[in-house]
Amino acid sequence: MKLAGSIALFHYWNRLRGDRSAPQRTEIEPADIKKLLADTFILEKDTRGEAVFRLAGTRLCAAYGRELKGFSFPSLWRPKDQRLVARLLDNVFDRHAVILIRYEAISQAGRALPFELLALPLESGIGSSRCLGVAAPAHKPFWLGADPINDAVIEALRVVDPATEETEAFQRPAIEAPELAPVDLDTASTIAGYGKARRIRHLLVLDGGRDE
């Protein structure tokens, strides 16, 4: 976990559960996590067994440009990831696993923004499966809330089963950008074998060349 909100909610949940696999839903006190409420959510299984939003924070709804209550959680992801997300949530609901997802949220205008999502199981009685979660961006650009998010691509995830303490990791292969210059130089620095170099706007100009 990298974001403060994810870390804070996990510690709160972990403290409540003690030596159990999950705390009771009734043990969650909104006042205890009031600084996180705008980014938090509660999911439950509907009659079809699909994870839907029971509650969603105001900032999270604003980021997606709509009220999320009643919407399918997997539907927020692109089709190729929806089945994976549904399986992950089954682990949260049925096995009381904890899932952490880092994903790239994409807006209607094509802007991309990294998000981190944490889903934590809640014990809520026979026939009623729920989980508590938080989803927040790595930073808050000017357009967030004005340009709605309408797509999401999983970048990395971690699944932790509290019963066995097993961890499963998934990571999409990284694509490295080619280097545009041997090193990143400041003005008038030296590249071995080339002599002095000067920056002019975005260009790197090397002194020398063909003698006249």
Side-chain angles (χ1 to χ4, degrees):
M1 281 169 271
K2 295 183 177 180
L3 299 188
S6 301
I7 295 170
L9 190 64
F10 176 79
H11 284 311
Y12 174 72
W13 173 88
N14 204 34
R15 187 168 64 250
L16 286 180
R17 77 181 183 93
D19 58 359
R20 299 168 294 171
S21 61
Q24 292 286 334
R25 176 184 58 83
T26 54
E27 294 179 76
I28 304 297
E29 291 289 346
D32 294 339
I33 54 173
K34 59 184 179 180
K35 292 183 179 180
L36 306 175
L37 288 179
D39 297 315
T40 58
F41 59 86
I42 292 179
L43 303 179
E44 65 179 355
K45 280 190 176 182
D46 64 10
T47 55
R48 300 166 299 171
E50 186 172 9
V52 298
F53 285 95
R54 180 175 178 85
L55 294 171
T58 54
R59 194 156 47 221
L60 188 57
C61 290
Y64 282 85
R66 54 179 165 163
E67 171 59 60
L68 292 173
K69 183 178 180 179
F71 274 88
S72 162
F73 182 80
S75 72
L76 299 183
W77 311 83
R78 58 181 47 184
K80 69 184 182 66
D81 286 337
Q82 288 179 11
R83 185 174 297 179
L84 172 61
V85 170
R87 287 203 307 267
L88 290 171
L89 287 174
D90 283 341
N91 281 329
V92 178
F93 289 134
D94 302 333
R95 298 177 57 202
H96 284 180
V98 174
I99 65 170
L100 179 71
I101 302 176
R102 289 197 297 273
Y103 65 98
E104 188 173 72
I106 302 170
S107 73
Q108 286 183 357
R111 299 181 173 106
L113 180 62
F115 263 70
E116 183 172 270
L117 181 147
L118 177 70
L120 304 158
L122 296 175
E123 186 63 65
S124 47
I126 297 174
S128 179
S129 299
R130 293 185 185 175
C131 80
L132 171 69
V134 59
H139 59 276
K140 296 178 174 63
F142 72 93
W143 54 265
L144 188 63
D147 183 10
I149 294 168
N150 65 356
D151 195 7
V153 182
I154 294 175
E155 295 295 331
L157 64 84
R158 186 181 180 202
V159 183
V160 178
D161 185 343
T164 62
E165 298 184 7
E166 291 179 355
T167 302
E168 176 186 352
F170 166 84
Q171 182 76 47
R172 291 198 189 278
I175 301 176
E176 296 185 0
E179 290 189 10
L180 299 181
V183 289
D184 188 15
L185 298 174
D186 294 327
T187 302
S189 59
T190 302
I191 302 177
Y194 288 90
K196 294 293 184 179
R198 293 174 293 115
R199 285 199 182 277
I200 301 177
R201 299 175 67 111
H202 64 287
L203 301 177
L204 189 67
V205 179
L206 302 174
D207 292 338
R210 187 173 60 184
D211 293 332
E212 296 296 337

